Amino acid sequence: MGGYAVCTVLNFADVTVDKVVSVAGFATINQVIHSYAKANIKKLSSLVELLVRIAQFIYFGWGKNLSAVDGINGSETKIVIAQGKNDEEVLCETVSIYGHQALLRKTNIRYLLFDQGIHSTHMGIVRGDSNEMLNEDLLRALT
């Protein structure tokens, strides 16, 4: 939830942030719930999705409707959006912030798509291989 959270917090005017790095962030909580339910539960996915949305409302109130895309669009913060092409948890083309580029109106965004090897998986973006603690390309994007 970190990639979503760091962009969603930008919806709040009283938050001052200089730079944001969103790694494998999803655009909205509703999209990720729907995607996960359809992929993993099959027959009862609609019922489970409804129950999870009710639970989200109980825990977070209307805050559950906050969007990472809206946070980005309402902010002047410099943002790096990193996504793995083979991410099976936050699907690149449909659920991820990266997949919502057409809705992002800011020019202060740098997009990084990792499409090879371990870096193209969900948390492989930051993990790298056994000889590499962090992804060098991601570190360079931060400077």
Side-chain angles (χ1 to χ4, degrees):
M1 252 179 99
Y4 165 77
V6 297
C7 292
T8 302
V9 76
L10 298 173
N11 282 291
F12 300 98
D14 60 341
V15 173
T16 303
V17 179
D18 291 329
K19 295 179 183 176
V20 166
V21 177
S22 173
V23 176
F26 49 88
T28 70
I29 192 74
N30 289 337
Q31 284 181 326
V32 82
I33 290 169
H34 177 74
S35 173
Y36 185 84
K38 283 192 73 139
N40 295 291
I41 301 169
K42 309 277 190 257
K43 291 183 181 182
L44 298 175
S45 65
S46 295
L47 175 62
V48 171
E49 184 177 347
L50 175 64
L51 294 173
V52 170
R53 286 183 186 207
I54 290 169
Q56 291 286 314
F57 180 74
I58 290 168
Y59 289 128
F60 303 111
W62 292 111
K64 77 167 194 66
N65 292 325
L66 292 172
S67 158
V69 171
D70 291 341
I72 293 167
N73 283 334
S75 173
E76 297 302 320
T77 301
K78 293 180 182 177
I79 300 169
V80 174
I81 297 174
Q83 180 66 39
K85 185 167 181 68
N86 298 316
D87 190 329
E88 293 180 357
E89 294 180 47
V90 179
L91 303 176
C92 183
E93 300 299 323
T94 57
V95 176
S96 73
I97 298 169
Y98 184 92
H100 286 76
Q101 289 180 44
L103 300 176
L104 298 172
R105 300 183 305 268
K106 298 295 182 168
T107 58
N108 54 336
I109 304 169
R110 179 157 182 212
Y111 300 98
L112 298 174
L113 180 64
F114 297 98
D115 60 358
Q116 296 182 3
I118 185 98
H119 292 311
S120 70
T121 62
H122 182 64
M123 289 309 294
I125 293 172
V126 291
R127 276 197 294 255
D129 62 32
S130 59
N131 298 319
E132 183 178 31
M133 289 303 291
L134 288 172
N135 182 325
E136 297 290 327
D137 294 327
L138 184 57
L139 289 175
R140 277 192 291 278
L142 301 177
T143 59

